Amino acid sequence: MKNHLPVSRSGRFAGSPGAEVAQFTESISFDQRLWRHDILGSLAHAAMLEKIGVLTAAERSAIARGLKAIACDIEAGKFRWQPELEDVHMNLEAELTRRVPAGAKLHTARSRNDQVALDLRLWLRDEIVSLLSEIADLQRALVTLGEKQAHVLIPGYTHLQRAQPVYLAHHLLAYVEMLERDSARLWDCHSRVNVCPLGSGALAGTTLPINRVLVAKLLGFVDAQGQPQLTQNSMDAVSDRDFAVEFCAAAALLAVHLSRLAEDVILWTSSEFNFIRIADAYTTGSSLMPQKKNPDVAELSRGKAGRVVGNLMALLTLLKGLPMSYNRDLQEDKERLFDSADTVRATTRLMAGMLRHISVNDRECLAAACDPVLLATDLADYLVRKGLPFRQAHHLVGSVVALAEKSNKLLSQLTTAELQSVDKHFGPDARSVFDLKRAMSRRNIVGAPGTREMAKQLARWRKLLS
Ligand code: ARG
């Protein structure tokens, strides 16, 4: 390269951009992480160029060898990234051409516009697969904790007020369900990421007789039936970032779920709840108060949802009103996409680690779950079984609760006579409603926190996740 001009400026341009402009426009500082996928794309493109006679077999193998040698150098930290070459694509191409003259033919029928779309899709495809395995691992951590503490009961809450007793496992499995929907969304997103844009050129394809199907197959852009998946409109293909938006949206919802789980952990470790203890490794102290042990990992997991939601907003705003087709604005997609992927991956992973290092205070949990008022609804169901309309039963049990409060007794301490003073339908068997074990054995419809149903759900998830 003469005068150290960036490749894209050779020929038409008289000089280099000023340092400030170069710094403003470069993307190498953040898109270099695409190098592996850029090289993979180039290897497939070169194979195709040989097939159609643009490269000789010798040129193609020299290019392949050159790219692999560059990959080794990058891996070993020996590659010198040059900011004046703008981005990962031009850094790799320039270095290849310096080493292998045939490298100058590699960009035949290709633009950085379809190249960057390709790289992003290849990168995101891998990212989704590894995120899915982290999510499955977090689900396993939740199921394992549920299994280990299968006997533990806690109050279930609505409005953050004690409502009805549930097994801790039931509460944990609620998150397993949420995470399963996150996985399904990510898989769905994967099917639209997995479409090959290469061959779209800058925006209008190419006059050369390239073979897009071959490239798609080489790069694994095929559906479940092995059919190659190609973008069908070159202008759309170079400017489409819907797949990135979809990923960021799925990541945002995942982050929101993780923040809810984090919040439960934070509440449960507080002295007010005291249901669980987090291992020291996942907590930090206070620089001032010697007694403190703070659940920082959980707090940051909760907090990081903010940036992941923000990344989604940034991407949508970036795309809004963009004219056809590629615009340099699109370079701004990467840091948001990378940040969402990195953040949800790390959070998912750390949450799993933290859950594996939690101990449960079963005594505190049971003490909270034993509050007989949590079974007031069961008492209403008792009256329904005696033939009363539920509305009336609800009203009567309300009066019973008021009576207990007035006489300073627990609900379960009221005598049969006291219950009958409210309504004669209360028989001597009414007080057996407050037997917690029995109460839990009675909630066995699908999705309920009953003893048998909970065991069934734990077994179902154990099987699904193994
Ligand atoms: N770094 C650019 C991006 O991330 C690559 C494509 C640049 N294309 C161009 N014609 N300037 O979008």
Side-chain angles (χ1 to χ4, degrees), residues 27 31 86-87 89 112-113 116 326 328 330-331 334:
S27 55
D31 70 9
E86 273 184 39
D87 57 25
H89 324 294
R112 277 186 295 157
N113 298 351
V116 72
Y326 178 84
R328 190 62 179 271
L330 290 176
Q331 181 168 293
K334 281 169 215 61

Side-chain angles (χ1 to χ4, degrees), residues 383 388 392 396 400 418-427:
L383 291 177
L388 263 62
Q392 199 186 336
L396 290 171
V400 170
E418 282 169 314
L419 289 173
Q420 283 174 344
S421 76
V422 175
D423 189 85
K424 60 179 181 344
H425 286 93
F426 286 114

Side-chain angles (χ1 to χ4, degrees), residues 308-325:
V308 180
V309 170
N311 289 337
L312 171 63
M313 290 310 128
L315 264 196
L316 286 168
T317 313
L318 172 70
L319 297 175
K320 181 199 164 294
L322 269 193
M324 274 294 183
S325 57

Side-chain angles (χ1 to χ4, degrees), residues 124-141 179-180 182-184 186-187 190 247 254 344-346 348-350 352-353 356 464-466:
L124 189 52
R125 221 171 52 175
D126 285 352
E127 201 57 39
I128 290 173
V129 170
S130 46
L131 178 56
L132 284 168
S133 91
E134 296 292 355
I135 292 174
D137 193 54
L138 174 54
Q139 289 177 304
R140 274 191 289 274
L179 293 167
E180 191 64 12
D182 291 321
S183 290
L186 286 164
W187 258 125
H190 185 276
F247 175 80
L254 167 60
V344 291
R345 182 122 80 101
T348 306
R349 209 181 155 72
L350 276 146
R356 291 200 165 96
L464 277 171
L465 294 167
S466 62

